[in-house]
Amino acid sequence: EIGVRLVGSEMCIRDSRYTRQEMGRIWTLENRYQAWLDVEVAVCRAWSDMGRIPAAAVENIQAKASIDVDRILAIEEVTRHDVIAFLTSLEEKVGAEDARYIHLGCTSSDIVDTANALLLMQAGRLILKDIRALLTAIESLARRHKGVLCMGRTHGIHAEPTSFGLKMAGFYAEFERHLARVEAGIESVRVGKISGAVGTYAFLSPELEQRALSYLELEVDPHSTQIIQRDRYAHFFTSLAVLAGGVERLCVELRHLQRTEVLEVEEGFAKGQKGSSAMPHKKNPISAENMSGLSRLLRTNALASLENQALWHERDISHSSVERVIMPDSTILADYVLTRLTKLLEGLVVKPERMRENMERSYGLYFSQRVLTALIATGLPRQQAYEAVQRLAMQSWESRTPFPDLVRNDADMSGRLGAAALAELFDPSYYLQHEDEIFARVFKNAAANKA
């Protein structure tokens, strides 16, 4: 039971590798109605604090009010209104005498939107927990492979060396930003409203609202109409969309690195696992591919949240049907994708020896900028130096001759650079001379993130 049964959410729940059910439970009808009840009780307590409701009535409501999903749904079949069905069920349990105080002065959106804040906070905190677990996995990969040289690529073409540790450090820095964005998105929806039919407090008061929301640990929306404005929801769901973009960027990197021609990493392959119904040799990057696809769904749902911003006057109901889908679907998908990505990284097979082999597939051409800058340092004009290096680089590529050998054997270059410079010019460790500084910058908040 996850409240809404959709392809994305159903896939998440049915995947045997996805054993965490906390997110699914948030979106059950029982938990949704419980959030409504928490809001109703908070409003009753606030009324009691202000002397409008007897304290004994509040005690009776708290003692007897409970959620009966089947009964609420049965009543809704008749009323065709979910909140009225919910209130009718509560009246049956509490008794008409004290139930008359429940929902006093409120409109449905006072309860539903304020409860949505509670539900999105529950879901958001799980997603933050997931991001922190992913950060730990990325940090572990980065630190274990600090100093492990590999080829850096731009446009898919060999550029200059980096390290696999630095690759992972870059993703760590990005997911720190995703963590901050999701935290901000949660804070954006951490508001409630108990302001009545069009937000004027005609039968309520700002004081009552403040008291009720303080019981729920929510902030007051400074100006609500009949609803909380949906720019807040858009902020939350777009933070998940940007997060999904980061997930896909990492997955695309892993998919490329697992290509046969590259093969610098491999997804873990379980005993008995099969890669293809036709080709027994296949070991495919299926997890990264799945997550790339699901990330697109998360981004699509964010577009729906943006479309929900423009409602008629003080509210219409066009946003409601959308949110019944995207609230559970997006948060469940985010939880699933982050959990699965963490497991992928924890079981990732990294192949340093293959990285070394791949570095030599371009015959040492990655030293071209070192040679260029060394020539410029001798006083040679930049364009003249560039053309001289490019000529040897093209010769190296076409003849499959190591570029360093061509430089050493070129009389003009070797004469200008000198034996001492040539002796140290082709050391690939040069490219990692600032790795420690980058690591220090990236991981300065690592302990706080884990906490």
Side-chain angles (χ1 to χ4, degrees):
E1 287 283 349
I2 56 169
V4 178
R5 314 292 290 184
L6 293 174
V7 173
S9 304
E10 184 76 359
M11 182 187 300
C12 297
I13 294 298
R14 285 188 174 180
D15 190 329
S16 62
R17 291 162 294 192
Y18 178 62
T19 58
R20 290 183 48 208
Q21 299 298 315
E22 298 100 313
M23 188 66 80
R25 291 191 190 100
I26 290 172
W27 300 109
T28 59
L29 285 175
E30 182 173 7
N31 194 59
R32 180 184 179 217
Y33 293 143
Q34 183 60 53
W36 291 5
L37 179 55
D38 291 342
V39 177
E40 295 282 11
V41 169
V43 174
C44 288
R45 292 176 67 186
W47 274 127
S48 179
D49 292 343
M50 297 171 66
R52 179 66 174 78
I53 294 178
V58 178
E59 291 175 7
N60 185 47
I61 290 168
Q62 288 181 294
K64 294 182 179 179
S66 61
I67 301 304
D68 184 338
V69 173
D70 291 339
R71 180 58 183 150
I72 295 170
L73 294 178
I75 298 170
E76 189 178 350
E77 285 293 316
V78 178
T79 63
R80 301 294 179 180
H81 194 292
D82 53 358
V83 175
I84 292 175
F86 163 76
L87 293 171
T88 304
S89 172
L90 293 184
E91 182 174 341
E92 291 175 350
K93 291 179 176 293
V94 172
E97 177 65 23
D98 288 338
R100 63 197 173 104
Y101 298 121
I102 300 174
H103 207 70
L104 185 63
C106 295
T107 189
S108 296
S109 292
D110 288 328
I111 308 307
V112 173
D113 276 14
T114 304
N116 282 347
L118 299 177
L119 296 173
L120 288 172
M121 284 170 60
Q122 291 174 31
R125 285 166 178 163
L126 279 181
I127 291 170
L128 293 178
K129 180 180 177 182
D130 294 335
I131 297 173
R132 291 187 177 101
L134 179 60
L135 283 169
T136 297
I138 297 173
E139 180 186 2
S140 176
L141 274 173
R143 292 194 184 281
R144 291 203 315 269
H145 298 94
K146 184 171 178 285
V148 175
L149 279 161
C150 65
M151 201 64 244
R153 300 171 176 87
T154 58
H155 306 275
I157 307 300
H158 282 202
E160 289 184 347
T162 180
S163 74
F164 192 73
L166 280 173
K167 270 184 182 283
M168 291 298 105
F171 285 108
Y172 186 95
E174 177 179 346
F175 277 91
E176 266 197 328
R177 297 191 294 274
H178 293 311
L179 181 70
R181 277 187 284 263
V182 174
E183 286 177 331
I186 295 169
E187 191 63 21
S188 182
V189 296
R190 195 178 66 83
V191 298
K193 59 92 59 182
I194 310 293
S195 57
V198 293
T200 60
Y201 304 97
F203 300 95
L204 301 159
S205 72
E207 180 188 355
L208 173 90
E209 180 181 55
Q210 178 65 62
R211 288 176 179 273
L213 295 182
S214 68
Y215 284 123
L216 300 168
E217 299 183 358
L218 297 176
E219 296 295 324
V220 174
D221 190 345
H223 187 287
S224 56
T225 56
Q226 192 174 86
I227 60 167
I228 298 293
Q229 296 309 309
R230 263 37 190 183
D231 63 290
R232 294 182 178 277
Y233 286 51
H235 186 179
F236 178 84
F237 287 106
T238 52
S239 75
L240 298 187
V242 178
L243 168 67
V247 168
E248 186 168 10
R249 187 176 85 87
L250 177 48
C251 287
V252 166
E253 178 72 16
L254 297 176
R255 288 164 60 190
H256 169 76
L257 294 179
Q258 193 165 335
R259 291 170 57 231
T260 303
E261 295 85 353
V262 181
L263 204 58
E264 294 181 2
V265 302
E266 280 186 321
E267 291 185 11
F269 201 74
K271 183 178 181 180
Q273 185 175 340
K274 305 293 188 291
S276 166
S277 63
M279 297 168 284
H281 71 279
K282 295 280 280 179
K283 292 170 70 175
N284 301 323
I286 58 169
S287 287
E289 289 173 332
N290 289 165
M291 287 182 281
S292 289
L294 294 176
S295 295
R296 296 166 196 167
L297 279 178
L298 276 165
R299 293 196 293 275
T300 300
N301 285 351
L303 178 60
S305 75
L306 293 168
E307 294 294 325
N308 270 355
Q309 286 180 249
L311 303 177
W312 287 17
H313 305 298
E314 278 60 55
R315 75 83 67 114
D316 62 52
I317 203 171
S318 61
H319 63 289
S320 176
S321 55
V322 176
E323 288 164 2
R324 288 170 189 260
V325 174
I326 66 173
M327 287 171 68
D329 213 39
S330 290
T331 53
I332 290 172
L333 283 172
D335 182 52
Y336 172 71
V337 166
L338 291 167
T339 301
R340 189 168 176 185
L341 181 55
T342 298
K343 290 181 178 178
L344 187 162
L345 295 180
E346 289 172 345
L348 190 69
V349 178
V350 180
K351 303 192 171 195
E353 69 288 348
R354 181 69 173 188
M355 295 174 182
R356 287 192 293 272
E357 290 175 17
N358 285 339
M359 285 181 65
E360 300 313 312
R361 290 180 186 273
S362 55
Y363 315 110
L365 286 173
Y366 53 80
F367 289 117
S368 69
Q369 185 175 195
R370 281 214 77 189
V371 177
L372 172 65
T373 55
L375 288 172
I376 293 170
T378 67
L380 193 66
R382 178 180 176 83
Q383 288 307 311
Q384 188 177 340
Y386 189 101
E387 290 170 5
V389 173
Q390 186 181 45
R391 173 177 55 82
L392 291 186
M394 296 304 102
Q395 182 183 341
S396 169
W397 183 249
E398 290 167 6
S399 66
R400 300 189 175 188
T401 303
F403 175 71
D405 290 351
L406 292 178
V407 172
R408 293 186 185 99
N409 294 332
D410 185 279
D412 289 340
M413 283 197 186
S414 60
R416 178 172 284 273
L417 293 171
L422 286 172
E424 61 179 38
L425 199 58
F426 302 114
D427 179 6
S429 65
Y430 168 86
Y431 296 94
L432 301 185
Q433 60 183 304
H434 298 295
E435 187 180 39
D436 287 342
E437 295 171 64
I438 298 171
F439 263 63
R441 284 198 316 231
V442 169
F443 295 109
K444 66 182 179 181
N445 297 320
N449 289 334
K450 290 173 185 176

